[in-house]
Amino acid sequence: MNENELRLIRMADVELQKVDWLWFPFIPFGKISMIQGDPGEGKTTLALRLAAACSQGFSLPNTPEQERVPINVIYQTAEDGLGDTIKPRLMDAHADENRIFCIDESEKSLTLLDERIEKAIDRTGARLIILDPVQGYVGERIDMNRANEIRTVMKKLAAVAERTGCAVVLVGHLNKNGGANSSYRGLGSIDFRAAARSVLLVGRLKREPNVRVIVHDKSSLAPEGKSLAFSLGDSEGFRWLEGYDEVTSEELLCGVSPETKTAAAENLIRRMLSDGNPVPAEDIFRMAESQHISRRTVNEAKKNIPELVTRKEGKVWLWIIPK
């Protein structure tokens, strides 16, 4: 067939496909997902705990009712030693080591375009492959900052995931750019993120240094899941935590916990209303946004100020703290 011949696909002829999940709604089978964060913030810990849980068929947070069976996993690392780092951490996570594999790179380095990825998935029957970090597997000839090159690489990797039904998880570093827009914090081309169907952002809170929060920062196949958290670095070791489900990516990148943000929002409201004069609510929201405080957090802080009065003039809501 002539490659220039026009072929059209009628949507009426397209069959609906059900999405299967390794971990709903965070990691789908047959697709690419990403775990992003700064160095030392818990990305690899999360990836290893995920690998260990899957190898044993352990339940994962938010999915206790999901029936799980042990699956084979490929864990590829470009930064840590297998014997001195990866295996001890997998043992600590109670992994089934017989179900976790690694492609031998002693004679040839692995890249995202390497045919050995699909061969390894087929041979082991792996349902999950983790590459940590993705920047270590781009390859010498690929510029990870060039969108056209990364787009081609990710398209081919996505095809491998779809053909095999394996969940592909790429662990990625963040760049050093400031600001709280997580979409542009990934190291390299934004096309890494664009190709991923789900993106998890991992980071710590400044005032709770032993807490790591996981924010569902992008979700193309399901509604975004609530944020999760785990403890890391204290005497009790790794454990899942509750009470952090409303942390946003903006709050996480700023390193501030919801409680601290709420207190900051309350102080802001009190300052702006300190003279007893009414102030439009939108002015308060805008000022809070400039300080990376969400509208939701402002409304939560408002509940802590029982003396605050609201009234509507025309289409404008005014807030007042009477003197």
Side-chain angles (χ1 to χ4, degrees):
M1 184 180 67
N2 187 336
E3 63 179 11
N4 293 321
E5 180 182 342
L6 175 65
R7 298 180 63 197
L8 297 174
I9 299 174
R10 190 191 305 272
M11 289 306 299
D13 299 329
V14 175
E15 293 186 8
L16 288 174
Q17 293 183 340
K18 178 178 176 292
V19 178
D20 292 323
W21 294 88
L22 173 72
W23 184 13
F24 181 84
F26 305 109
I27 300 178
F29 281 119
K31 307 292 181 183
I32 297 174
S33 300
M34 291 196 74
I35 299 173
Q36 293 187 315
D38 286 320
E41 297 292 82
K43 303 185 304 299
T44 295
T45 295
L46 173 60
L48 287 168
R49 289 283 164 169
L50 175 65
C54 289
S55 74
Q56 290 280 20
F58 293 156
S59 63
L60 292 163
N62 285 15
T63 58
E65 72 287 347
Q66 182 177 342
E67 184 178 350
R68 307 194 65 88
V69 296
I71 62 173
N72 289 348
V73 178
I74 298 173
Y75 193 97
Q76 211 68 27
T77 175
E79 293 183 343
D80 297 309
L82 297 182
D84 59 14
T85 304
I86 299 301
K87 181 165 182 172
R89 295 176 73 176
L90 285 171
M91 292 174 65
D92 184 61
H94 307 291
D96 182 346
E97 298 168 52
N98 290 311
R99 287 189 171 274
I100 300 182
F101 300 84
C102 179
I103 299 170
D104 187 350
E105 297 186 64
S106 59
E107 296 183 1
K108 180 184 177 183
S109 296
L110 192 73
T111 71
L112 298 179
L113 293 175
D114 200 313
E115 293 180 356
R116 288 179 293 170
I117 290 178
E118 186 164 3
K119 288 180 179 178
I121 294 171
D122 289 339
R123 184 177 298 181
T124 63
R127 301 302 313 280
L128 168 65
I129 180 170
I130 299 171
L131 294 110
D132 180 9
V134 61
Q135 288 83 8
Y137 294 100
V138 172
E140 295 180 357
R141 299 182 180 180
I142 301 294
D143 186 342
M144 69 179 187
N145 294 299
R146 294 179 66 88
N148 60 322
E149 296 184 21
I150 293 303
R151 195 174 298 127
T152 299
V153 170
M154 295 298 280
K155 184 176 181 180
K156 290 182 178 180
L157 185 62
V160 171
E162 186 168 354
R163 282 195 299 270
T164 61
C166 184
V168 176
V169 174
L170 307 178
V171 179
H173 297 314
L174 296 177
N175 60 44
K176 296 181 180 179
N177 293 336
N181 190 335
S182 56
S183 298
Y184 298 95
R185 287 293 313 277
L187 192 62
S189 170
I190 197 172
D191 284 79
F192 282 115
R193 177 187 173 92
R197 299 298 82 200
S198 179
V199 177
L200 300 176
L201 181 65
V202 182
R204 79 174 76 200
L205 301 175
K206 286 182 180 177
R207 298 200 177 186
E208 298 177 84
N210 292 330
V211 173
R212 303 295 192 273
V213 178
I214 307 164
V215 174
H216 201 189
D217 197 41
K218 175 188 174 181
S219 182
S220 300
L221 302 174
E224 291 179 0
K226 289 182 180 264
S227 297
L228 305 171
F230 58 90
S231 180
L232 186 65
D234 61 18
S235 59
E236 296 183 56
F238 180 96
R239 64 190 184 283
W240 293 104
L241 302 174
E242 296 183 354
Y244 296 85
D245 55 350
E246 295 298 329
V247 177
T248 66
S249 60
E250 290 80 10
E251 290 168 338
L252 189 61
L253 290 173
C254 291
V256 182
S257 67
E259 293 80 9
T260 304
K261 280 283 188 178
T262 302
E266 183 177 340
N267 290 334
L268 173 66
I269 295 170
R270 290 186 181 278
R271 285 199 309 272
M272 293 186 70
L273 303 181
S274 61
D275 60 3
N277 294 320
V279 175
E282 286 301 320
D283 289 356
I284 298 175
F285 289 135
R286 276 194 294 271
M287 181 61 73
E289 184 179 2
S290 71
Q291 299 179 23
H292 305 298
I293 301 174
S294 68
R295 181 179 291 251
R296 173 189 59 79
T297 302
V298 173
N299 281 322
E300 285 298 313
K302 177 186 168 190
K303 298 176 183 177
N304 297 331
I305 310 175
E307 66 270 30
L308 190 151
V309 177
T310 64
R311 73 166 185 254
K312 193 173 185 180
E313 293 186 1
K315 296 183 178 180
V316 178
W317 280 100
L318 302 174
W319 291 6
I320 313 156
I321 295 181
K323 281 198 167 184

